[in-house]
Amino acid sequence: MGQDQTKQQIEKGLHLYQSNQTEKALQVWMRVLEKSADPAGRFRVLGCLITAHAEMGRYKDMLKFAVVQIDTARELEDPNYLTEGYLNLARSNEKLCEFQKTISYCKTCLNMQGTTVSLQLNGQDYEKALFFPCKAAELVNDYGAGWSLKYRAMSQYHMAVAYRKLGRLADAMDCCEESMKIALQHGDRPLQALCLLCFADIHLSRRDVQTAFPRYDSAMSIMTEIGNRLGQIQVLLGVAKCWMIQKELDKALESIEKAQELAEGLGNKLGLLKLHCLCERIYRTKGLQRELRDHVVKFHECVEEMELYCGMCGESIGEKNNQLQALPCSHFFHLKCLQTNGTRGCPNCRRLSVKPGYV
């Protein structure tokens, strides 16, 4: 199969994939992979297979194709192909919760000449968290039917999460329902699990734990099936909060203990921070001072390790909704602190900053 035919078949597969004919698309792409003699075409079709398997929650297959893609990139001897290949290896290992390998591949990308990599920082600024998925949804609408519905589904899901944290629960439910509808149409198991988790969190925010519990159970079932251990931690913490509302503190601690086992196994410090915060509330209610102090200390250790504090005022970041701003060096601060104090350099690293960038 030559270059032109390879391109035609890849486009055919994309059309099928966007039309929700996933299995037929995979068959077309696999034929291209077997028969094409064009290395660049093989690289591109491997990218399609990686994305498709990621969206279906088949992370081991995703990794398998990423390994083949990096070998193809080495044949092409082009730094841009190599960068994309290593990023796909990083994404695959991230999905499988192999974070040390993920970091290693990302560092390889950063060290390559003539390439750029975008970095995402996750703080607790809900207005900005809502802004970006809203813009993504606008782009999907502007470009029309030619864009896959899956982009719209992910935009709606992230909008639902932001609306929930802002307390706009009706808007959160509407966005999540639309996202879930598309996820079901496309057989997107990972997104279905995230939507179920979001539904449960919305009902938890309404203190409707009887409705939240079965949705957490359904989310856990899918996340266990696809191997999403980070999602399992979120589910267990949500279940713990439900038990806390019902004053079943021992059952809450059982869920937290399971979440802690997963978080420690993955090295997930954010998950550990959240569970220490919940434990602090539980032991304060129980009046157990020694356990309370232990979790308060561990909570602040997590804050220090993750640098979740403003470099100007020293207050922790993430406990409440704050407007945040980041400097090009990636250190971030309360927006009000930057506006009040002003600086030409980062207080954390003392490097000159050219222009602040929003997180």
Side-chain angles (χ1 to χ4, degrees):
M1 186 182 295
Q3 187 175 15
D4 290 341
Q5 192 175 1
T6 297
K7 184 177 179 181
Q8 290 172 1
Q9 290 298 305
I10 291 173
E11 294 299 326
K12 178 182 177 182
L14 286 170
H15 178 74
L16 289 167
Y17 191 67
Q18 291 173 351
S19 302
N20 199 25
Q21 300 181 62
T22 303
E23 291 303 324
K24 289 183 178 179
L26 292 177
Q27 291 171 10
V28 170
W29 288 331
M30 286 302 296
R31 282 199 300 271
V32 173
L33 189 60
E34 292 168 6
K35 297 181 179 180
S36 178
D38 174 31
R42 285 171 55 81
F43 182 90
R44 186 182 174 202
V45 80
L46 283 162
C48 294
L49 288 164
I50 289 165
T51 299
H53 283 88
E55 292 182 349
M56 290 186 291
R58 300 177 186 173
Y59 301 135
K60 290 183 179 178
D61 289 329
M62 178 188 180
L63 178 60
K64 179 183 71 176
F65 289 117
V67 171
V68 178
Q69 190 185 49
I70 199 66
D71 290 337
T72 306
R74 291 192 182 105
E75 291 178 26
L76 291 163
E77 297 182 345
D78 184 312
N80 290 318
Y81 284 120
L82 281 168
T83 301
E84 185 177 341
Y86 279 119
L87 282 174
N88 281 330
L89 276 173
R91 288 173 54 214
S92 303
N93 280 283
E94 180 193 10
K95 296 293 187 183
L96 293 167
C97 297
E98 296 285 353
F99 297 121
Q100 290 301 321
K101 291 181 180 178
T102 301
I103 291 168
S104 176
Y105 288 128
C106 286
K107 285 182 176 178
T108 301
C109 293
L110 289 169
N111 290 332
M112 292 182 71
Q113 296 293 326
T115 59
T116 58
V117 180
S118 62
L119 302 176
Q120 182 178 6
L121 182 62
N122 186 13
Q124 186 128 311
D125 186 340
Y126 301 145
E127 285 78 10
K128 289 193 181 79
L130 179 61
F131 170 79
F132 291 110
C134 284
K135 291 300 291 184
E138 285 178 19
L139 281 171
V140 174
N141 289 332
D142 289 344
Y143 281 90
W147 278 45
S148 171
L149 278 174
K150 294 183 181 182
Y151 290 116
R152 179 172 182 81
M154 285 305 300
S155 300
Q156 293 293 324
Y157 162 72
H158 287 294
M159 287 165 63
V161 172
Y163 277 134
R164 180 185 65 78
K165 292 184 177 181
L166 284 166
R168 295 170 58 178
L169 301 184
D171 291 329
M173 184 65 77
D174 289 343
C175 290
C176 199
E177 285 175 349
E178 182 171 354
S179 180
M180 187 60 158
K181 180 180 178 182
I182 299 171
L184 289 169
Q185 289 174 352
H186 284 262
D188 189 337
R189 300 288 281 168
L191 184 55
Q192 289 171 31
L194 291 174
C195 287
L196 285 165
L197 173 59
C198 188
F199 281 133
D201 287 340
I202 291 169
H203 291 296
L204 174 63
S205 298
R206 292 172 171 168
R207 303 182 74 82
D208 183 1
V209 297
Q210 296 304 322
T211 308
F213 271 130
R215 282 149 184 82
Y216 280 129
D217 288 342
S218 298
M220 177 62 86
S221 177
I222 298 176
M223 287 175 176
T224 302
E225 171 196 326
I226 65 178
N228 183 353
R229 288 180 284 172
L230 288 175
Q232 291 173 46
I233 294 170
Q234 291 179 270
V235 170
L236 289 166
L237 293 178
V239 170
K241 291 175 185 177
C242 288
W243 288 124
M244 290 170 69
I245 288 174
Q246 293 191 323
K247 310 298 183 184
E248 297 278 1
L249 301 185
D250 290 334
K251 290 183 178 180
L253 286 172
E254 288 177 13
S255 293
I256 291 171
E257 185 178 342
K258 293 176 183 177
Q260 184 170 358
E261 184 179 347
L262 281 169
E264 288 177 345
L266 296 174
N268 179 15
K269 293 179 182 178
L270 183 59
L272 290 170
L273 182 145
K274 290 179 179 179
L275 66 88
H276 289 314
C277 186
L278 290 179
C279 285
E280 181 265 333
R281 289 166 53 191
I282 291 171
Y283 287 119
R284 189 180 298 279
T285 302
K286 282 175 165 279
L288 299 174
Q289 295 302 314
R290 185 171 62 84
E291 290 84 353
L292 170 62
R293 285 194 298 271
D294 183 45
H295 284 285
V296 169
V297 169
K298 289 179 178 177
F299 172 84
H300 286 291
E301 286 175 352
C302 288
V303 170
E304 287 291 326
E305 288 175 17
M306 300 174 68
E307 296 186 12
L308 290 178
Y309 50 83
C310 176
M312 290 188 175
C313 68
E315 291 184 7
S316 60
I317 287 173
E319 294 183 32
K320 57 185 178 180
N321 184 19
N322 286 305
Q323 286 187 298
L324 307 177
Q325 194 166 8
L327 298 177
C329 58
S330 83
H331 288 122
F332 57 104
F333 309 87
H334 291 124
L335 178 60
K336 61 180 176 61
C337 292
L338 282 176
Q339 290 174 337
T340 302
N341 299 316
T343 179
R344 290 188 176 182
C346 173
N348 285 12
C349 61
R350 301 301 177 188
R351 288 206 306 254
L352 288 178
S353 56
V354 181
K355 181 181 178 182
Y358 279 104
V359 183

